[in-house]
Amino acid sequence: LVVAFASHHHGSALENLGPRLMQALGAHTLIGCTGESIIGAAREVEQEPALSVWTACMPGTKITPFSVHSEPGADDHAVFSGLPPVGDRAQASILIVADPFTFPMDQYVALLNRELPGVPAVGGMASGGMGPGQNLLFHAGGLQASGALGVVLEGGIEVTTIVSQGCRPVGKPWVATACQDYLVQKLGGRPALDVLVETLESLEVRDKELFQRHPFIGLAFDPSKSSFEHGDFLVRAILGIQAKEKSFVVAEGMRKGMTVQFLVRDARSASEDFARLLSNHRLADSGNSGALLFSCNGRGTRMFAKADHDVACVKSSVGRDLPVAGFFALGEIGPVSGRNYLHGHTASMALFRPRE
């Protein structure tokens, strides 16, 4: 398997990148895409020319490439050209990259959850382009400028996924007592907007600034818990308010009875969350072979004081000699609590090692 990520600086040379790599390496399968910033070895090359090529020999592993396109359907629901060709769900993992302007990944991961439950999907949305046709996806025969590309891995290689959403709780948890789709109407029997404003006013100055700039809400996976920490939520942005109805809109469908928690994100919380997840998985010295890292294009030096933050975390936790490649994505794909999601401001990683 060859995975390649390249910045747009390489221009027309990208048209033949896939075939040239296949010929030079004698590879079986290739996928990749363009990114505004590229990760390779121990570096995150931000908004400068870069190419990262990651190769893996996977004995006993079936590697099956696939391509997916979508067409508009009824009620804003897309119609997809197919599912990844998964055989044995118990031993399968999916790597996937896609164009954010032509492929509704949020709907596709929902389809994967329904049709291929338990199969993890990890990857990212190509970045650097400003509209349809500007981001490129690489395959063995050339490239495509829309849809999604991926590979299914089954058999000898085990893929461990880590998704760091990087937020911390503020205020207290609430139960959604009235909601409709993406609209949160009542929390704990009170108007949702009143609860949001009350929480905002109770925060210390720094947290108040963070919440005003980028408000987030977490949807709890285990509603029976009375207190929550990093990783207990699916993190989603608060998109806006409806003042007359005293409600607010979030970027995820809501259900009555959900436990929710207001969240903030900053460099410290993002760094601590990623380091904690890497540590909890006890990944060092466990036969790791390589990793692919998909970091949000809002991370890097836009979030952290030092460059190369995410890849440095991986190297220090998993192994400094570990081959790592990736890119800064316009949306990151990865499983949380057993279900696949499209995330934002996240670091999503696939770690490869021989299956025991």
Side-chain angles (χ1 to χ4, degrees):
L1 174 67
V2 177
V3 185
F5 304 108
S7 65
H8 289 261
H9 301 83
H10 299 286
S12 60
L14 295 174
E15 291 185 21
N16 296 315
L17 177 62
R20 288 177 66 188
L21 286 173
M22 291 290 288
Q23 182 177 10
L25 298 171
H28 174 274
T29 304
L30 180 145
I31 65 163
C33 66
T34 49
E36 69 160 41
S37 301
I38 304 300
I39 300 170
R43 295 189 61 195
E44 298 172 4
V45 182
E46 298 190 38
Q47 299 180 329
E48 293 182 1
L51 167 67
S52 183
V53 179
W54 184 95
T55 67
C57 294
M58 300 181 174
T61 302
K62 183 180 179 182
I63 304 173
T64 310
F66 66 91
S67 176
V68 184
H69 291 273
S70 66
E71 297 290 342
D75 300 325
D76 295 324
H77 285 85
V79 177
F80 297 101
S81 59
L83 288 166
V86 171
D88 182 1
R89 291 209 308 257
Q91 292 196 338
S93 298
I94 298 167
L95 301 178
I96 187 167
V97 293
D99 172 52
F101 298 105
T102 61
F103 194 80
M105 183 58 75
D106 55 343
Q107 294 186 39
Y108 195 63
V109 293
L111 178 65
L112 296 183
N113 291 332
R114 291 194 304 270
E115 300 297 329
L116 299 172
V119 179
V122 62
M125 307 300 285
S127 63
M130 301 302 291
Q134 296 185 20
N135 291 311
L136 303 175
L137 311 178
F138 311 134
H139 56 75
L143 53 81
Q144 66 185 55
S146 63
L149 287 176
V151 295
V152 175
L153 305 176
E154 297 174 275
I157 291 294
E158 180 180 5
V159 181
T160 299
T161 57
I162 295 175
V163 177
S164 174
Q165 300 179 91
C167 284
R168 57 181 169 83
V170 294
K172 65 179 185 179
W174 295 86
V175 174
T177 51
C179 53
Q180 184 177 2
D181 294 329
Y182 300 89
L183 187 67
V184 184
Q185 298 163 316
K186 289 188 176 182
L187 296 175
R190 299 178 54 197
L193 186 57
D194 289 353
V195 174
L196 186 152
V197 172
E198 181 182 285
T199 301
L200 174 65
E201 294 302 320
S202 70
L203 301 180
E204 297 180 357
V205 174
R206 173 58 178 161
D207 286 349
K208 184 179 292 187
E209 291 175 351
L210 290 170
F211 194 73
Q212 285 177 318
R213 192 181 310 131
H214 297 296
F216 295 98
I217 194 167
L219 313 181
F221 296 112
D222 184 0
S224 65
K225 297 183 69 172
S226 58
S227 61
F228 298 92
E229 301 174 350
H230 294 263
D232 287 334
F233 305 98
L234 173 65
V235 175
R236 287 295 184 253
I238 297 175
L239 301 178
I241 64 172
Q242 293 192 359
K244 279 188 176 182
E245 292 80 8
K246 290 193 172 183
S247 58
F248 59 85
V249 180
V250 301
E252 184 73 22
M254 295 288 298
R255 299 189 311 275
K256 186 177 178 180
M258 275 185 164
T259 299
V260 301
Q261 172 90 51
F262 294 111
L263 308 168
V264 296
R265 178 189 281 126
D266 59 10
R268 180 178 176 181
S269 67
S271 183
E272 289 177 348
D273 186 62
F274 197 24
R276 181 189 61 82
L277 287 169
L278 289 167
S279 175
N280 285 354
H281 278 75
R282 296 179 176 86
L283 300 175
D285 303 321
S286 57
N288 304 306
S289 301
L292 294 174
L293 177 60
F294 307 91
S295 292
C296 176
N297 60 4
R299 293 172 71 98
T301 55
R302 289 173 176 166
M303 174 175 284
F304 303 106
K306 293 183 179 180
D308 310 322
H309 175 274
D310 286 349
V311 72
C313 283
V314 175
K315 291 281 189 174
S316 63
S317 298
V318 185
R320 297 199 175 275
D321 295 329
L322 186 78
V324 181
F327 74 104
F328 283 20
L330 199 60
E332 305 76 55
I333 302 143
V336 179
S337 193
R339 290 179 62 84
N340 297 306
Y341 294 98
L342 176 65
H343 306 274
H345 296 278
T346 293
S348 183
M349 187 179 84
L351 183 69
F352 301 80
R353 55 188 165 191
R355 192 179 298 276
E356 296 181 356

